[in-house]
Amino acid sequence: MDAQEWKEVFSFICSVEFWRMGVLWTLSLIYSYFQLFRQTLFSAKSKSKPYSPRCSPSSIATRRPICIVTGATSGLGAAAACALSREGYYVVLVGRSLDLLSKIASDIKEQSGDACVKAFQVDLSSFKSIWNFKREFQQWLSDMNMHCSVQLLINNAGILATRSRVTTEGCDKIMATNYVGAFCLTKILLPLLQNSPIPSRVVNVTSFTHRSVSSMKINKETISGKCFSGSRIYPFAHVYEYSKLCLLLFSYELHRQVKLVEQSSQVSVIAVDPGTVKTNIMREFPKCISQLAFFTLRLLGLLQSSEEGVCSILDAALAPPEISGVYFFGGNGRTLKSSPLSYNSKLAKDLWEASSDLFIELQLASGHTT
């Protein structure tokens, strides 16, 4: 490395955000595994099973159920798409790079000759792109003479940017991709999920980092991330934690909402935390820092490959239809209690209302009102 690169590394190591990740995130992860160990230990003593078995997807009039996977260009998204294709789903890949999506689609078809895959180029940080996807997706269903419904939506797309970026719609890039995009996509596709002739499900991929958030203020400025863009030093670690807690609160509130509207609703909602997985999410970090982080996690036995980490996502996706409003962690169909703050129902309702208001604003600004 040259002098400039060493300077950047030194500056990164001296930042508050680096130590927040190194200390709080590690403690949050260790606590999650400790909680899992304690729960498993007590369950063993009581001879009860602390996990949910997987169920195979049902066919619809001899046709494959449809699964949409966001962030499917690499890492967990690509691994989940491959695995769910083997389970019998017609997998719809969603991501920003059409070239990478095409490669993943080809890989899936190579692994299984009868795999059914379709790719759509979508930027989850853009409401306009999400709305265009809905229109193109419904047109594709019509052209293929397929039932106008979705059986499984996996909100997996996520980024960890080290610099402040603002989308064309004025939102912080991390918040827009990790939370606002997932909320908008789910809200737009909810009628298709409810229209499914078999039980359908939303799986939101969250993170143990949500435990590092001790309090939060709900308003449109914080949800959109606008309040962070004016900071002298961009608090990217805090923004990431916040986005994952929002996604978790949203999962629990959506679970309550669909059950409240219709007691016999067939739509279930599950949050899932795959733990630490070796992906390219730290691509904006100095290379030596990301390598050190992976080395340390591997040394502690906490680092997983995408193929290992995807097990928790599959547990959530293939859990029995009656399982809803829970937090999967650790694989083998195991669930945990998330942070106490994530179960604050008033906070979740406030988030729902503020997110719905932001949704309407983005809808009006984009000119898509129908």
Side-chain angles (χ1 to χ4, degrees):
M1 292 192 297
D2 58 26
Q4 180 60 32
E5 289 175 322
W6 276 114
K7 184 178 179 181
E8 290 177 359
V9 170
F10 181 74
S11 176
F12 191 83
I13 291 175
C14 292
S15 68
V16 174
E17 298 306 295
F18 170 78
W19 290 103
R20 184 179 185 92
M21 291 186 297
V23 177
L24 290 185
W25 290 15
T26 302
L27 290 176
S28 296
L29 180 62
I30 292 173
Y31 176 76
S32 294
Y33 277 109
F34 171 73
Q35 189 180 9
L36 189 68
F37 171 76
R38 186 176 61 178
Q39 176 178 288
T40 304
L41 184 63
F42 288 148
S43 297
K45 289 180 178 180
S46 63
K47 298 182 180 180
S48 62
K49 293 184 178 180
Y51 59 86
S52 299
R54 292 181 182 178
C55 298
S56 298
S58 303
S59 61
I60 308 170
T62 71
R63 292 183 179 175
R64 298 178 184 231
I66 294 176
C67 167
I68 298 175
V69 183
T70 70
T73 53
S74 62
L76 285 171
C82 290
L84 289 168
S85 175
R86 291 193 294 269
E87 292 290 338
Y89 280 96
Y90 199 129
V91 179
V92 175
L93 308 175
V94 170
R96 287 181 295 177
S97 171
L98 194 56
D99 289 340
L100 291 176
L101 290 174
S102 298
K103 182 181 182 305
I104 298 301
S106 297
D107 291 344
I108 292 174
K109 290 177 181 177
E110 283 181 11
Q111 293 178 22
S112 177
D114 64 343
C116 294
V117 190
K118 174 67 177 177
F120 288 90
Q121 185 177 23
V122 186
D123 181 358
L124 266 295
S125 69
S126 166
F127 181 86
K128 182 178 179 180
S129 182
I130 293 172
W131 191 274
N132 288 339
F133 164 66
K134 175 211 173 188
R135 177 176 51 79
E136 293 169 4
F137 176 68
Q138 288 185 305
Q139 184 60 53
W140 172 71
L141 289 177
S142 177
D143 293 343
M144 295 290 290
N145 194 29
M146 299 174 74
H147 192 271
C148 191
S149 63
V150 174
Q151 283 65 58
L152 179 61
L153 169 62
I154 298 183
N155 288 312
N156 165 76
I159 63 168
L160 177 56
T162 57
R163 295 182 293 108
S164 176
R165 295 191 185 94
V166 179
T167 68
T168 55
E169 292 157 346
C171 296
D172 172 83
K173 191 75 171 181
I174 292 180
M175 288 301 298
T177 304
N178 296 7
Y179 171 65
V180 178
F183 177 88
C184 292
L185 180 64
T186 304
K187 193 172 181 67
I188 287 172
L189 294 180
L190 191 56
L192 298 184
L193 288 156
Q194 293 172 322
N195 194 44
S196 174
I198 63 172
S200 58
R201 170 164 291 156
V202 176
V203 174
N204 290 326
V205 182
T206 183
S207 166
F208 58 89
T209 60
H210 81 274
R211 297 185 186 278
S212 300
V213 182
S214 57
S215 64
M216 67 190 305
K217 183 179 180 182
I218 298 295
N219 55 48
K220 283 182 286 186
E221 283 65 38
T222 51
I223 293 172
S224 65
K226 292 179 181 179
C227 66
F228 301 115
S229 59
S231 304
R232 186 176 64 86
I233 299 176
Y234 182 56
F236 62 88
H238 180 68
V239 180
Y240 184 82
E241 299 161 6
Y242 192 93
S243 70
K244 291 301 182 178
L245 178 58
C246 283
L247 194 58
L248 192 51
L249 285 164
F250 164 57
S251 301
Y252 295 152
E253 183 60 21
L254 179 60
H255 161 73
R256 287 188 286 264
Q257 290 282 341
V258 294
K259 299 305 177 186
L260 182 65
V261 172
E262 186 179 353
Q263 291 296 326
S264 60
S265 173
Q266 295 191 99
V267 181
S268 58
V269 187
I270 293 178
V272 58
D273 177 358
T276 49
V277 181
K278 189 175 182 181
T279 66
N280 63 355
I281 196 167
M282 291 195 292
R283 58 184 174 272
E284 294 190 14
F285 289 20
K287 189 174 182 180
C288 62
I289 297 296
S290 59
Q291 289 178 335
L292 177 62
F294 287 140
F295 174 78
T296 304
L297 289 168
R298 187 180 293 110
L299 201 64
L300 294 172
L302 300 176
L303 185 65
Q304 307 169 84
S305 66
S306 294
E307 290 70 28
E308 294 169 331
V310 79
C311 290
S312 294
I313 296 178
L314 293 178
D315 290 339
L318 302 176
E322 64 272 13
I323 302 296
S324 185
V326 295
Y327 175 74
F328 274 75
F329 178 86
N332 297 321
R334 292 174 292 186
T335 61
L336 279 186
K337 287 289 185 182
S338 49
S339 71
L341 189 62
S342 69
Y343 292 108
N344 188 319
S345 58
K346 183 182 184 305
L347 200 63
K349 288 178 182 177
D350 290 344
L351 177 66
W352 180 277
E353 291 175 4
S355 300
S356 297
D357 290 343
L358 179 60
F359 176 90
I360 294 172
E361 283 187 13
L362 293 171
Q363 192 176 25
L364 292 173
S366 66
H368 299 296
T369 56
T370 59

